[in-house]
Amino acid sequence: MSAPAPFVDSRQVRRNFARAAADYDAAAVLPREVGSRMLERLDYVRIEPRQVLDLGCGTGLSLTALSERYPKSLVLGADACEAMLLAGRRRRSKSRWLLPFLHKGNALVSADALALPFKPGSMELVWSNLMLHWLDDPLRAFREMHRVLDVGGLLMFSTLGPDTLKELRESFSDGHAHTQRFADMHDYGDMLLDCGFADPVMDVEVLTLTYTSLDDLFRDLRQNGAACAMQSRCHGLTGRSAWLSARAAYEKRARDGRLPATFEVVYGHAWKTQARKTPDGSAIVRFDPKQRLR
């Protein structure tokens, strides 16, 4: 039986980010803000990781902050887009931003989130900022994160929920996808449990960015590598009538001369504990050899 066709065009995702790599840092307002809010959440977590993985690190916006928070840790950055990694390395090495990071023995790795090149149990913290919604199957990525985490390790991530870019999605009526497919917060919680994570905590907040025109919104999405990469997107030019209709529908949402764009940010964290079941569903019973049977 053949596997179902993917919803997300992963090659297009990489192409979009490769095109945006050169100017990504200047445009990445939302990833930088969400990453900052994730870092604040670490203030309430007691953990001293030996190795940290920033999965979907892009140009490395979070690497310095993670390295400074955990100065004794080996911090690794991994991303599927080599152009993003190269752009980040070139830019920050010139400004000496990345030099302390690299001098500590940390590394940037080109890697697929669905097949990570790390040993089981090799990480104590996996961090992922706004990466999961670019994957066709986030569940497979969660399984990989669970595999590389050590027992007692923490997964902390952010992604985008279904209200993201709802204004844009609702303005088009041509039958094509114009935004990514975004999963619900509760679906992500179920995925975590399905992978064996314990005590998942999920929360959501809505951020609204505003633009002077629809063209500015599309330009911002392109510069962030965030243009639609669904298989069902329009693969040619949008027809004039469809474009004019969408523009008129969106402009009706203007307030004080600005067009709103909603971003539903989903935050989650969970711990890896001792497995209670084998992969086939059998229960695991552990005995303490030091305890005498009575």
Side-chain angles (χ1 to χ4, degrees):
M1 182 176 179
S2 61
F7 292 99
V8 178
D9 185 344
S10 58
R11 293 175 62 186
Q12 185 63 36
V13 172
R14 290 192 292 273
R15 282 195 291 264
N16 286 346
F17 279 104
R19 291 167 183 163
D23 301 312
Y24 179 80
D25 284 5
V29 174
L30 183 66
R32 187 177 290 106
E33 177 62 26
V34 174
S36 176
R37 297 184 185 209
M38 286 177 65
L39 285 166
E40 291 176 359
R41 283 166 162 76
L42 283 177
D43 292 340
Y44 304 98
V45 177
R46 290 188 178 182
I47 184 173
E48 293 295 334
R50 290 178 292 108
Q51 290 200 143
V52 177
L53 173 62
D54 180 357
L55 182 56
C57 68
T59 58
L61 292 176
S62 297
L63 292 176
T64 292
L66 288 169
S67 190
E68 290 174 349
R69 180 175 289 265
Y70 303 113
K72 297 180 180 180
S73 301
L74 177 66
V75 181
L76 306 173
D79 199 276
C81 180
E82 293 188 21
M84 292 284 279
L85 296 172
L86 291 173
R89 184 180 290 114
R90 284 195 299 265
R91 191 174 305 111
R92 269 105 182 172
S93 62
K94 289 180 181 178
S95 64
R96 299 186 178 181
W97 180 93
L98 197 59
L99 289 178
F101 174 80
L102 293 177
H103 285 170
K104 289 177 57 179
N106 302 318
L108 299 174
V109 180
S110 178
D112 184 347
L114 306 184
L116 295 174
F118 305 111
K119 295 180 180 179
S122 57
M123 307 291 169
E124 284 77 32
L125 172 62
V126 173
W127 162 286
S128 181
N129 181 23
L130 297 180
M131 183 271 293
L132 287 166
H133 53 276
W134 296 112
L135 304 178
D136 190 67
D137 187 2
L139 179 61
R140 290 178 59 192
F142 279 139
R143 286 176 177 154
E144 275 294 272
M145 297 178 202
H146 188 272
R147 180 184 67 82
V148 302
L149 273 172
D150 195 5
V151 172
L154 174 66
L155 165 64
M156 178 168 282
F157 69 91
S158 66
T159 186
L160 296 177
D163 275 350
T164 298
L165 295 173
K166 61 182 180 180
E167 300 90 351
L168 179 60
R169 189 164 50 250
E170 294 168 359
S171 294
F172 281 93
S173 57
D174 57 359
H176 295 290
H178 293 274
T179 73
Q180 288 305 105
R181 176 192 57 175
F182 302 108
D184 184 78
M185 172 180 71
H186 300 96
D187 293 332
Y188 283 113
D190 291 342
M191 292 180 204
L192 292 171
L193 292 172
D194 187 59
C195 293
F197 282 102
D199 303 321
V201 176
M202 308 293 302
D203 66 289
V204 63
E205 66 177 336
V206 175
L207 303 179
T208 303
L209 303 183
T210 62
Y211 298 86
T212 57
S213 70
L214 190 54
D215 294 325
D216 286 345
L217 169 59
F218 278 115
R219 185 180 303 109
D220 190 40
L221 293 175
R222 288 194 300 270
Q223 290 176 344
N224 276 276
C228 179
M230 300 297 291
Q231 295 284 8
S232 57
R233 72 191 186 279
C234 181
H235 290 262
L237 294 176
T238 301
R240 177 178 174 80
S241 61
W243 176 247
L244 291 176
S245 176
R247 182 185 291 274
Y250 207 128
E251 288 177 349
K252 290 180 181 179
R253 300 173 181 268
R255 296 292 183 271
D256 300 322
R258 306 282 295 183
L259 298 178
T262 296
F263 292 88
E264 180 184 353
V265 184
V266 175
Y267 300 94
H269 70 264
W271 299 87
K272 179 174 179 177
T273 58
Q274 288 281 2
R276 297 181 181 180
K277 292 183 179 180
T278 61
D280 63 3
S282 301
I284 297 175
V285 180
R286 291 183 172 83
F287 294 94
D288 185 351
K290 296 181 181 180
Q291 184 177 0
R292 296 177 59 184
L293 296 178
R294 297 182 181 180

